Amino acid sequence: MHVDTAITSRKSVRRFLDAPVDRATVMHILQIASRAPSGSNIQPWRVHVVAGAAKEQLCQRLLDAVDHGKSDPPEYHYYPQNWFEPYLERRRRCGFGLYATLGIGREDRAKREAQARRNFHFFDAPVGLFITMDRRLETGSFMDCGMFIQSIMLAARGQGLHTCPQAAFAWYHTLIRDALKLDEDSLLLCGIALGYEDPQAPENGFITERESVENFTTFHGT
C-alpha cells in the first residue's frame, strides 16, 4: 500500500468484524512502527497488547466500572479545560455527525451513552493495545508517542487492518494499571482497537472532514 493511500484510508473504525488477528501480524505492525522518530532516539513508548480471554476479562471489568460510574480523575488533560473556537465547532461537528450516522438524536442520552460504552470493548476488535510512557518524561515525549501511535495505525493499514485510537481509557487508569500490573511511573496515554473493519456498519461510513491546506498553512518567502 502506498503511504498516501495508507494515510488517506486511515479512519477511526467503531465496529470490527469477529475475525482474529494473529500475534505475528501484531508483532510486524509494532516492528514497523518502532521506526517512528523520537527526540535523541529515547523511544519513550511502551505497548501492552490484550487479546483473547485476557482482553475479555479486562473489558468486563471496565464495563462494570463504567456502569457504576467508577472513573478516575485524568492524569493529563487531553482537551482544553475551556473550549474555544474554532475547536469547539469542529468537535461538535464530529460528535453530531457520528451520532447522526447512527440515527441517534442529540437529546437521546441513553443511546449516546450506549455508543460511548462500546469504547470499553474496543468496539469488538479482537486486539487491544494500550500505550504508556514514563510519567517522569516531558512534553516532547508526548509528541514522540503521538508519532509512534500514528505509525501503528498506518502500519495496520498496510496489513489490511483498521484501528481506532481511544483516549477514553485514560479515565480508567487505576483499573488498567492493576490489570496489566503497571508500575506507578507508567502513564496510560490511550488505547488502540485493532482488527478488520465491519464494512456494513453505518458508523464506519462516517468520515470526518479536514480543513483545506490554505486554511492552516502560511508560507514565508517562496
Side-chain angles (χ1 to χ4, degrees), residues 41 45 47 55 66 68 78 83 91 98 105 110 113-114 136 139 158 176-178 194 197-199 202 206 214 218-219:
N41 196 37
W45 46 78
V47 182
K55 170 182 166 288
V66 171
H68 290 89
Y78 190 94
W83 285 94
R91 183 185 190 228
L98 173 62
E113 290 179 350
R136 294 170 293 182
T139 304
I176 294 168
R177 179 175 288 107
D178 175 70
L194 173 69
E197 173 191 13
D198 181 350
F206 173 64
E214 291 78 10
T218 301
F219 285 92

Side-chain angles (χ1 to χ4, degrees), residues 15-71:
R15 189 174 296 275
F16 291 84
L17 294 174
D18 182 20
V21 177
D22 61 45
R23 178 177 292 198
T25 300
V26 176
M27 289 291 290
H28 175 81
I29 289 169
L30 296 176
Q31 182 65 50
I32 297 301
S34 74
R35 296 304 306 174
S38 61
S40 299
N41 196 37
I42 68 168
Q43 305 170 67
W45 46 78
R46 298 282 297 175
V47 182
H48 310 269
V49 183
V50 292
K55 170 182 166 288
E56 294 305 314
Q57 291 169 9
L58 175 54
C59 288
Q60 188 55 60
R61 289 183 63 187
L62 285 163
L63 291 168
D64 288 344
V66 171
D67 292 343
H68 290 89
K70 295 181 179 179
S71 62

Side-chain angles (χ1 to χ4, degrees), residues 16 19-22 26 30 46-56 58-59 62 119-131 152 162-166 169 176 180 188 190-196:
F16 291 84
V21 177
D22 61 45
V26 176
L30 296 176
R46 298 282 297 175
V47 182
H48 310 269
V49 183
V50 292
K55 170 182 166 288
E56 294 305 314
L58 175 54
C59 288
L62 285 163
N119 271 281
F120 302 99
H121 205 273
F122 292 98
F123 298 110
D124 300 324
V127 176
L129 312 177
F130 290 106
I131 311 300
I152 289 175
H162 271 285
T163 56
C164 186
Q166 300 168 264
F169 289 109
I176 294 168
L180 301 182
L188 177 64
C190 70
I192 305 174
L194 173 69
Y196 292 96

